[in-house]
Amino acid sequence: AERLAAGPDAAAPESVHLTSFPEADASLVDRGLSQTIAAVRDLVSLGLQVRTSAKLKVRQPLAEAIVAVASAEERARIERFADAVREELNVHKVTFTEEPQKYVTFELLPNFRALGPKLGKDLPLVKQALSKASGSELYAQLEAAGSITLSLPSGALTLGADDIQVRLAAHPDYAGSAPHRHVVVLDTRVSDELKREGFAREVINRVQRARKTMDLEYEARI
C-alpha cells in the first residue's frame, strides 16, 4: 500500500515487453543431469519405436521393458527416472542388463556410403571380416570404446560408429530397438490379464472421446 501511495517505482522498467531477456548463467547448468535426461528421452523414443515396429498399441500394457546399459554407474543414473520410462512405455516394470545378447542378436555391416570412397576395393574384405566376427562382441567393443579394430591383409583397420551399421534381431517373445546409443527390448507376450487391462484403457479412451464430441464438461456426470 505504501509503495502504491508513493507512486510508480523509478527503478522499474517501462514495460516488461520492452525489457531484454536476462543473460543465461551457464555455470548453473547441471551437465550431468542434462545428459541423463537426454538418455532417458532417447530410451523412451526407442521403446516407442519398438512398439510401432511390433504393432503393439501404446494403450496395451506390457509386462517388462529391458534397458541395456554399459555400466552400473549408467544404470544408477537412468534408474532414477525408471518410473517415468515405465509410464511413458506403458510397462509394468523396467529392468536393466549389461548383457543385451541375452535378448537380441547383433549383426554389424560396413556403412557403404561412408567407407566406399575411403576403402575402395578393400570394402568387401571389411564386410567379410565383420560377418566372420561375433556381432555381440563387436557391438560391445563399439559401445565401450566408440570404435572397433579389424585385421585385414593390408593391416589393422579401425572403424568408428559412423563407419558401421548395426542390425538387431530379437529373440522369440521379445522385440528390440535398432540401436544407436542404447538398446531397449520389450517383452511382447500379452497375457489375458494384460489384454483385459488394455481393453479397459481402450474403453476409457473412447468414452473420453465421446465426452469431447458431446462437449461435456469434465465435471459433468454421465
Side-chain angles (χ1 to χ4, degrees):
E2 293 179 358
R3 290 186 62 187
L4 291 175
D9 188 349
E14 180 181 358
S15 169
V16 67
H17 301 290
L18 301 177
T19 304
S20 300
F21 281 107
E23 293 293 329
D25 186 350
S27 66
L28 298 178
V29 176
D30 188 331
R31 301 294 180 185
L33 180 60
S34 296
Q35 292 173 359
T36 298
I37 293 299
V40 170
R41 294 180 64 181
D42 186 44
L43 292 174
V44 170
S45 177
L46 289 175
L48 294 177
Q49 289 179 29
V50 174
R51 276 187 169 274
T52 300
S53 62
K55 298 181 179 179
L56 294 166
K57 294 182 179 179
V58 177
R59 281 191 290 274
Q60 173 58 63
L62 298 176
E64 183 180 17
I66 301 129
V67 177
V69 291
S71 64
E73 180 183 358
E74 184 180 27
R75 170 178 176 165
R77 292 200 308 266
I78 296 175
E79 196 168 20
R80 176 182 173 188
F81 301 96
D83 285 344
V85 175
R86 178 180 55 77
E87 183 176 350
E88 289 293 326
L89 296 183
N90 192 13
V91 295
H92 281 203
K93 65 178 178 179
V94 174
T95 58
F96 297 86
T97 181
E98 295 183 30
E99 300 177 293
Q101 61 271 21
K102 289 182 177 180
Y103 306 96
V104 296
T105 299
F106 297 100
E107 179 185 8
L108 272 63
L109 299 169
N111 183 341
F112 294 98
R113 180 175 297 181
L115 292 178
K118 294 189 295 184
L119 298 181
K121 62 180 182 180
D122 287 338
L123 188 57
L125 297 177
V126 173
K127 181 180 179 182
Q128 185 178 29
L130 289 173
S131 65
K132 288 183 177 180
S134 168
S136 296
E137 291 180 4
L138 288 179
Y139 179 77
Q141 181 183 343
L142 184 65
E143 284 294 284
S147 64
I148 62 174
T149 301
L150 300 177
S151 296
L152 300 180
S154 57
L157 175 67
T158 299
L159 301 176
D162 293 337
D163 299 323
I164 299 295
Q165 291 180 322
V166 181
R167 290 181 181 175
L168 177 151
H171 297 175
D173 297 327
Y174 294 95
S177 67
H180 34 94
R181 178 63 185 87
H182 292 99
V183 177
V184 179
V185 180
L186 299 181
D187 186 339
T188 59
R189 292 168 290 189
V190 180
S191 65
D192 289 340
E193 182 179 357
L194 289 172
K195 286 181 182 178
R196 290 193 294 269
E197 189 176 342
F199 181 70
R201 286 179 177 243
E202 193 70 44
V203 169
I204 291 172
N205 176 262
R206 297 195 183 194
V207 170
Q208 297 289 44
R209 289 193 328 212
R211 289 180 69 106
K212 183 177 180 180
T213 301
M214 298 170 67
D215 199 24
L216 294 173
E217 295 294 335
Y218 178 78
E219 297 84 359
R221 296 185 64 85
I222 58 174

